[in-house]
Amino acid sequence: MRLQIFDNHETLSRATADILLRTVRENPRSSIIIATGSTPTLAYQLWVQDLLRQDIPTDELMIIKLDEWGGLPMDHPSTCETYIQKHIIQPLSLRPDQVISFTSVAADPAAECDRVYRAISALPSIDCCVLGIGKNGHLGFNEPNTTWSTVPHVAKLSITSLGHAMLQGDSRDVQYGLTLGLDTISIAKSILALASGSEKTAIVEQALRGPVTPQCPASILQTLPQSIVYLDTKAAERITS
Ligand code: PGA
């Protein structure tokens, strides 16, 4: 695990965008796992802006959505789908076959996870994985006390996840989470885990300096040599002082 601390969220986002840009420039057929949430949004905006301005081809890029809220309609404003459509898929005009994405309204959620697993298994590689470290230490919806070794699966959501700002206080229709598992995340050639702001200070300390344990799924980052953790000074407060 490599750790880098930035002065603020803007510089962290710029550095994240630069890694994503380099990934696509070096391999236009890259497959990239995309987390949603507030932390990576600016990075995605900068990345997409640069791809377009520099005319970098994206017609062979594959985007893999990290997770989804089960039970919300796909076009609900709070879904991860709406987020990736708005920030990445539509601005880059990606085709549906360039996106591997859990549906939020699967009749059989376990079968939906199998479908995503098969689609990912058919890829030549996963080149980069962007993650946000959750307030409770989750990665995607790999919630505390998850098993380490997991393929895409249906997750029982924690109270913390159901309180995520994406749901805007309205989690009534969310029944479960759909998420890539830690196995899939771990095979990415490069893993970029982000945290910013003082609400992440305590969990960042636990994840990066505490024991490696399923009680804090983000602690797995300590064991992954290809992981890069980008923090701003607020999130890093307890590990630098
Ligand atoms: P955030 O979400 O980027 O909005 O903090 C991260 C997460 O909870 O997974």
Side-chain angles (χ1 to χ4, degrees), residues 36-40 132-135 138 164 199-200:
T36 60
S38 63
T39 313
I133 298 177
K135 260 196 265 184
H138 72 196
H164 194 281
E199 65 170 15
K200 300 288 173 63

Side-chain angles (χ1 to χ4, degrees), residues 21 24 44-58 87-94:
L21 198 63
V24 183
Y44 296 148
Q45 287 166 348
L46 295 169
W47 176 45
V48 165
Q49 215 172 66
D50 286 351
L51 286 168
L52 293 171
R53 279 201 192 133
Q54 297 176 34
D55 219 8
I56 296 172
T58 55
H87 293 295
I88 298 173
I89 312 293
Q90 287 171 8
L92 292 177
S93 305
L94 301 184

Side-chain angles (χ1 to χ4, degrees), residues 63-82:
I63 294 295
I64 307 164
K65 186 174 68 175
L66 175 66
D67 52 9
E68 188 54 275
W69 303 103
L72 294 183
M74 273 295 246
D75 61 355
H76 188 285
S78 296
T79 57
C80 304
E81 185 67 22
T82 297

Side-chain angles (χ1 to χ4, degrees), residues 62 64 100-102 108-124 126 151-153 180 184 187:
M62 281 297 296
I64 307 164
I100 297 176
S101 169
F102 295 105
D108 181 345
E112 174 64 1
C113 292
D114 288 345
R115 182 190 69 78
V116 166
Y117 177 64
R118 284 194 304 275
I120 291 175
S121 303
L123 297 172
I126 299 179
V151 293
H153 60 283
L180 300 187
T184 307
I187 58 171

